[in-house]
C-alpha cells in the first residue's frame, strides 16, 4: 500500500432511521462517494440543494487510480472552489512525447495557447481529489455523508427509488425522490435495475506500477511503442506529486494477472526501463483489463446514472474520470432547477440528450486509441507498424499515431436546450465557455471565475453607447469592455472578444454549467428570456 | 469528389515491376507492412474524400461492398 499517502478513515454515524419501520424520506440521494458522486454533491450544495451521499466504504480511493485531470475538470473544480488546490498540489503538464523502439517519433503540445487559468492537464492521485471534495462537501453543511452504508436493495418507482441499506449497526430503508447512481463500473444500482451494459471487450491486459523515485524525467506524458526494455508492447509514463510515477505496461492477453502482480516481477520490469542506477520503491500495483460500453439511456425515471456506472472507456485519453465530472457538472444545475421549481422535470431528459453523445465521443476516441495500441488482427498490426515506421521521417504519419486522444470537453451541439444562431462562431451554442485573462478594477483576474456562480449569466461585450438592456430577472449580467468602464471587466488582451467571437454590442447567454445557451447580435430582453426558458426545458 | 479510374500511368509495366521489386526478399509480415506504408503515403497524397473513395472501390473489387448500401 502507498507509503506517500495515508487514507483517512471517516467516522460512521448511526442513521436515525435505523430500526424504524417507515422508510426515511429524502429529496436527493447520491450513491457512491467517488470523484463523480462527491462532485455532484458539492455542486448541488453550492446551488443550495442538500443531499445524502451513501458509500459502502469509509475512505477515499485505495491507490492512485485516475491521475490525469483535464482543463475542463479543473475549471469545474475552480467553479466549486477547489481549483487552486489542484494547481498547488498537482503536477502540470501539457506536452506528450511518443517513442517508437529506441527513438523519439514526435512530441505534441496540448495547449499551445497562453492566457488560461488552468493548464491542459494536472496529474494528481485520485485520493487527494476525493479527500478535498469530502472536506468541501462537509463544510457546506448540506451534504449528509454516510460512510459504511451499503445498498442491498433498490426498487425504482414513479415517485423515486426505495433503497434498502445495511450499516454496521443494522439495516434501514431510505426513499429517495431522486437517486443519482455514481457507484462505478460495477454499479449496484445498474445491476438492481437489470440494465444491459453493452459494448466492446478488449483482449489485452495492462499493469500499473506506481513507483516512488527521484528521477529526472520531465513532467510530460511519455508513450513508447515497442521499446527495447519492453519489446513488442507499449509503455506509458506519467509524473504524479510526491515523487510518485505512474508506469503502465501493456502485457498482452496471455499474461497471468497473479504472476504479473508479484513485486519481484514488477521490480524487474521497472528496473529494465529505468536502468540499474535509479533506486525506486513500489507504491501501488494493479493489473487490469477494460471495456468500452455504456447504458442505452442514463435516466431511468427518478434514477439517473453518472460516470462509470453509465459508461466505461479505456484509460487511454483520460476520458473516464474527466467524462464523469462533466456528467456531474451537467446534471447538478438541472436537478437544482427542477427541485427549486424553476424548471419542469422534463429538463432532466436533456441530461441524456447531452451526455449520451458526449459518452459516445469518449467511447469512440478511446476505442480508436485502443485499436491502435492493441491491433486486433494481422492487417491492423501491419498498418500500425507501418504508421510507426513512417512517423520518424515523415510528418504525414504522425497524426495517425494514436497513443490516446486526450480528453476534451464535449460541445453540446445538438442539444435541445440550445437556441439557434452563431453555429459558425468559435464558441457556438453548446460549447463550454472559453477562459481569458481580464482585469477586474485593475486587478488581474480570469473570466471563468465570473460565470455560473449565480445561475444563468449574460456576457455582453460593451458597445460604444450604453451597456445594453437589462437582462430578465434571474439572469446575471457580466459586461466586458475593450476600454475601462465602471462595473465592467476589462478585456485588456482582447482575448475575450477573440475567443468568444464577440463584437461590441453582442452578447452570449451562459448556462449555470458555463456552456453557451444562445448568442445575440442585438440582445433584447424578450429574446434573452426566451433563450433562458428554452435552456430550462420550458415549453415555448 | 471522385477519383480518376481512367489510366493515368505513362508506363504501367514499369510501375508494376517497381512494386514487385519493392517486395523482393520480404517475408509475409514485412510485405504487409510495405503495402500498408504505401497506402498511408498515397492516401495522404489523395486527401480525405479521394482516399475514402479509393477504400470503397478497393473493397468492392476484392470482396464486394461494405455494409448494406456500400
Amino acid at each position: 500500500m502507498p507509503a506517500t499517502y495515508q487514507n483517512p478513515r471517516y467516522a460512521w454515524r448511526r442513521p436515525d432511521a435505523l430500526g424504524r419501520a417507515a422508510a426515511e424520506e429524502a429529496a436527493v440521494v447520491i450513491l457512491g462517494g467517488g470523484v463523480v458522486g462527491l462532485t455532484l454533491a458539492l455542486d448541488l450544495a453550492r446551488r443550495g440543494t442538500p443531499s445524502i451521499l451513501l458509500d459502502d466504504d469509509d475512505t477515499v480511493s485505495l491507490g492512485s487510480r485516475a491521475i490525469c485531470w483535464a482543463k475542463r475538470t479543473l475549471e469545474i473544480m475552480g467553479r466549486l472552489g477547489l481549483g487552486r488546490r489542484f494547481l498547488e498540489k498537482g503536477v502540470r503538464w501539457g506536452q506528450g512525447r511518443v517513442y517508437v523502439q529506441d527513438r523519439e517519433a514526435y512530441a505534441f503540445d496540448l495547449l499551445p495557447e497562453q492566457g488560461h487559468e488552468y493548464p491542459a492537464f494536472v496529474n494528481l492521485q485520485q485520493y487527494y481529489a476525493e479527500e478535498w471534495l469530502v472536506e468541501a462537501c462537509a463544510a457546506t453543511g448540506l451534504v449528509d455523508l454516510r460512510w459504511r452504508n451499503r445498498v442491498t436493495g433498490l426498487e425504482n418507482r414513479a415517485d423515486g427509488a426505495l433503497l434498502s441499506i445495511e450499516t454496521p449497526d443494522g439495516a434501514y430503508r431510505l426513499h429517495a425522490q431522486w437517486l443519482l447512481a455514481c457507484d462505478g463500473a460495477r454499479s449496484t444500482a445498474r445491476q438492481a435495475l437489470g440494465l444491459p451494459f453493452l459494448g466492446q471487450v478488449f483482449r489485452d491486459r495492462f499493469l500499473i506500477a506506481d513507483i516512488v523515485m527521484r528521477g529526472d524525467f520531465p513532467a510530460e506524458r511519455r508513450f513508447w511503442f515497442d521499446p527495447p526494455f519492453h519489446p513488442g508492447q507499449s509503455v506509458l509514463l506519467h509524473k504524479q506529486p510526491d515523487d510518485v510515477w505512474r508506469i503502465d505496461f501493456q502485457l498482452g492477453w496471455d499474461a497471468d494477472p497473479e504472476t504479473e502482480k508479484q513485486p519481484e516481477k514488477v521490480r524487474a520490469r521497472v528496473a529494465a526501463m529505468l536502468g540499474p542506477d535509479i533506486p525506486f520503491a513500489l507504491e501501488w500495483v494493479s493489473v487490469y483489463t477494460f471495456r468500452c460500453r455504456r447504458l442505452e439511456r442514463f435516466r431511468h425515471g427518478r434514477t439517473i446514472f453518472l460516470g462509470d456506472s453509465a459508461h466505461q472507456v479505456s484509460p487511454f485519453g483520460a476520458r473516464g474520470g474527466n467524462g464523469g465530472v462533466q456528467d456531474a457538472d451537467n446534471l447538478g444545475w438541472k436537478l437544482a432547477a427542477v427541485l427549486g421549481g424553476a424548471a419542469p422535470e422534463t429538463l432532466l431528459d436533456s441530461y441524456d440528450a447531452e451526455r449520451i453523445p458526449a459518452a459516445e465521443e469518449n467511447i469512440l476516441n478511446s476505442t480508436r486509441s485502443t485499436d491502435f495500441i492493441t491491433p486486433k488482427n494481422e492487417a491492423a498490426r501491419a498498418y500500425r507498424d507501418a504508421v510507426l515506421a513512417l512517423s520518424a521521417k515523415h510528418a504525414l504519419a504522425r497524426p495517425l499515431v494514436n497513443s490516446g486522444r486526450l480528453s476534451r470537453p464535449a460541445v453540446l451541439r445538438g442539444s435541445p436546450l440550445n437556441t439557434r444562431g452563431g453555429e459558425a462562431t468559435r464558441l457556438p451554442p453548446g460549447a463550454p465557455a472559453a477562459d481569458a485573462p481580464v482585469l477586474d478594477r485593475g486587478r488581474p483576474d480570469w473570466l471563468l471565475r465570473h460565470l455560473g456562480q449565480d445561475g444563468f449569466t449574460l456576457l455582453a461585450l460593451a458597445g460604444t453607447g450604453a451597456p445594453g438592456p437589462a437582462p430578465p430577472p434571474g439572469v446575471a449580467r457580466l459586461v466586458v469592455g475593450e476600454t475601462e468602464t465602471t462595473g465592467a471587466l476589462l478585456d485588456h488582451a482582447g482575448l475575450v472578444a477573440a475567443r468568444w467571437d464577440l463584437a461590441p454590442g453582442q452578447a452570449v447567454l451562459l448556462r449555470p454549467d458555463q456552456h453557451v445557451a444562445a448568442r445575440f447580435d442585438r440582445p433584447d430582453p424578450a429574446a434573452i428570456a426566451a433563450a433562458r426558458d428554452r435552456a430550462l426545458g420550458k415549453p415555448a | 469528389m471522385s477519383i480518376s479510374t481512367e489510366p493515368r500511368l505513362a508506363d504501367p509495366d514499369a510501375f508494376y515491376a517497381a512494386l514487385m521489386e519493392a517486395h523482393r526478399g520480404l517475408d509475409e509480415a514485412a510485405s504487409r507492412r510495405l503495402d500498408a506504408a504505401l497506402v498511408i503515403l498515397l492516401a495522404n497524397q489523395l486527401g480525405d474524400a479521394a482516399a475514402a473513395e479509393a477504400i470503397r472501390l478497393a473493397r468492392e473489387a476484392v470482396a464486394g461492398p461494405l455494409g448494406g448500401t456500400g
Side-chain angles (χ1 to χ4, degrees):
Chain A
M1 270 294 105
T4 60
Y5 182 78
Q6 177 99 47
N7 274 71
R9 294 287 162 193
Y10 298 115
W12 173 73
R13 273 181 230 90
R14 197 175 187 281
D16 294 338
L18 223 56
R20 283 188 202 153
E24 182 184 351
E25 284 293 326
V28 179
V29 173
I30 296 168
L31 188 53
V35 170
V36 179
L38 290 164
T39 301
L40 181 59
L42 184 57
D43 187 66
L44 287 169
R46 292 273 186 260
R47 302 185 192 286
T49 304
S51 64
I52 294 173
L53 187 146
L54 306 171
D55 194 90
D56 58 2
D57 203 355
D58 65 349
T59 187
V60 295
S61 160
L62 297 168
S64 60
R65 295 173 67 192
I67 58 165
C68 297
W69 308 93
K71 180 170 179 285
R72 183 62 198 149
T73 297
L74 299 172
E75 290 167 353
I76 292 165
M77 292 301 162
R79 181 172 62 71
L80 296 174
L82 292 173
R84 301 313 299 175
R85 298 198 79 169
F86 277 75
L87 287 185
E88 281 157 20
K89 179 78 186 175
V91 173
R92 293 172 190 229
W93 62 277
Q95 281 258 318
R97 217 174 276 282
V98 177
Y99 298 83
V100 177
Q101 292 160 350
D102 55 355
R103 57 175 173 78
E104 181 180 326
Y106 73 102
F108 54 91
D109 195 342
L110 290 165
L111 187 66
E113 193 175 87
Q114 296 298 303
H116 295 262
E117 181 174 12
Y118 295 100
F121 275 93
V122 151
N123 282 359
L124 178 80
Q125 294 89 330
Q126 184 170 336
Y127 38 71
Y128 285 118
E130 291 181 1
E131 189 181 326
W132 302 339
L133 284 162
V134 168
E135 281 171 25
C137 281
T140 65
L142 291 174
V143 184
D144 182 349
L145 293 154
R146 298 190 183 180
W147 307 104
R148 301 179 75 185
N149 275 240
R150 191 164 62 87
V151 170
T152 55
L154 195 170
E155 193 187 322
N156 196 24
R157 314 190 306 200
D159 67 346
L162 184 62
L163 302 167
S164 304
I165 299 167
E166 248 171 46
T167 76
D169 256 16
Y172 69 104
R173 292 189 310 154
L174 175 61
H175 175 250
Q177 284 175 36
W178 294 94
L179 177 68
L180 311 170
C182 310
D183 54 341
R186 286 185 289 270
S187 169
T188 304
R190 193 184 62 230
Q191 286 165 29
L193 267 55
L195 300 172
F197 198 38
L198 302 176
Q200 194 175 346
V201 185
F202 294 93
R203 291 168 62 84
D204 207 344
R205 295 184 202 280
F206 292 82
L207 165 74
I208 287 180
D210 274 1
I211 60 165
V212 184
M213 70 159 174
R214 301 233 153 73
D216 57 357
F217 294 99
E220 57 187 25
R221 178 187 197 264
R222 292 195 166 188
F223 195 101
W224 287 263
F225 287 100
D226 189 23
F229 55 83
H230 193 53
Q233 308 281 11
S234 67
V235 177
L236 176 61
L237 175 72
H238 264 298
K239 186 177 188 177
Q240 303 175 48
D242 307 334
D243 291 318
V244 176
W245 298 76
R246 158 78 55 90
I247 311 175
D248 199 325
F249 293 96
Q250 183 183 28
L251 297 177
W253 184 240
D254 297 330
D256 174 45
E258 287 315 307
T259 315
E260 292 296 341
K261 268 189 271 192
Q262 300 300 318
E264 56 277 21
K265 179 120 184 165
V266 179
R267 268 191 215 103
R269 289 201 186 284
V270 175
M273 176 177 178
L274 300 177
D277 302 328
I278 300 179
F280 65 89
L282 289 185
E283 177 85 347
W284 180 62
V285 170
S286 168
V287 172
Y288 66 94
T289 59
F290 53 77
R291 297 170 182 230
C292 287
R293 54 182 174 174
R294 70 168 172 90
L295 287 174
E296 196 186 343
R297 288 179 295 120
F298 301 162
R299 181 181 176 204
H300 292 262
R302 294 286 190 95
T303 296
I304 303 175
F305 292 85
L306 299 89
D308 280 1
S309 73
H311 43 74
Q312 234 188 315
V313 294
S314 88
F316 299 102
R319 290 169 179 270
N322 290 303
V325 168
Q326 287 175 56
D327 285 350
D329 182 51
N330 187 283
L331 186 63
W333 70 272
K334 293 175 182 174
L335 187 61
V338 169
L339 287 166
E345 260 188 56
T346 49
L347 173 61
L348 298 171
D349 290 334
S350 72
Y351 171 73
D352 266 4
E354 295 183 339
R355 293 310 299 170
I356 288 175
E360 281 289 282
E361 188 177 311
N362 287 331
I363 288 172
L364 177 73
N365 279 291
S366 105
T367 300
R368 286 174 170 176
S369 301
T370 309
D371 283 343
F372 192 86
I373 294 164
T374 307
K376 278 198 288 265
N377 53 44
E378 285 314 305
R381 179 166 292 278
Y383 273 101
R384 201 279 300 268
D385 292 347
V387 165
L388 293 176
L390 286 168
S391 68
K393 249 196 190 158
H394 304 293
L396 72 93
R398 288 171 203 157
L400 295 167
V401 175
N402 192 341
S403 72
R405 302 291 184 219
L406 291 153
S407 175
R408 312 259 309 146
V411 176
L412 312 169
R413 282 182 200 283
S415 170
L417 306 187
N418 294 346
T419 293
R420 295 187 60 141
E423 280 79 8
T425 62
R426 285 192 73 183
L427 226 53
D435 203 3
V438 291
L439 292 178
D440 183 5
R441 283 157 292 179
R443 285 194 316 271
D445 204 350
W446 298 100
L447 181 67
L448 286 197
R449 294 185 182 180
H450 297 267
L451 299 173
Q453 303 290 359
D454 314 303
F456 284 84
T457 306
L458 186 74
L459 170 69
L461 198 64
T464 43
V475 177
R477 180 168 63 184
L478 180 68
V479 181
V480 177
E482 293 174 311
T483 54
E484 199 94 49
T485 320
T486 312
L489 297 174
L490 180 63
D491 184 21
H492 62 294
L495 288 173
V496 179
R499 287 178 187 165
W500 291 66
D501 254 345
L502 278 175
Q506 294 180 329
V508 177
L509 180 68
L510 288 140
R511 315 182 336 181
D513 61 1
Q514 300 180 333
H515 279 258
V516 174
R519 298 182 59 107
F520 306 97
D521 285 335
R522 280 178 301 279
D524 75 83
I528 299 165
R532 190 263 330 264
D533 286 351
R534 186 177 176 85
L536 284 170
K538 291 184 182 173
Chain B
M1 173 83 202
S2 81
I3 60 171
S4 173
T5 54
E6 293 305 311
R8 282 165 57 84
L9 296 171
D11 191 346
D13 289 348
F15 160 73
Y16 200 83
L19 205 49
M20 295 308 107
E21 181 59 18
H23 280 275
R24 192 156 58 90
L26 300 185
D27 65 15
E28 186 72 33
S31 260
R32 228 174 165 149
R33 281 199 299 279
L34 175 88
D35 282 337
L38 207 68
V39 167
I40 302 293
L41 287 161
L42 297 178
N44 189 65
Q45 190 68 24
L46 287 176
D48 300 87
E53 195 181 350
I55 291 173
R56 186 177 66 77
L57 294 175
R59 165 81 195 192
E60 201 176 87
V62 304
L66 255 185
T69 53

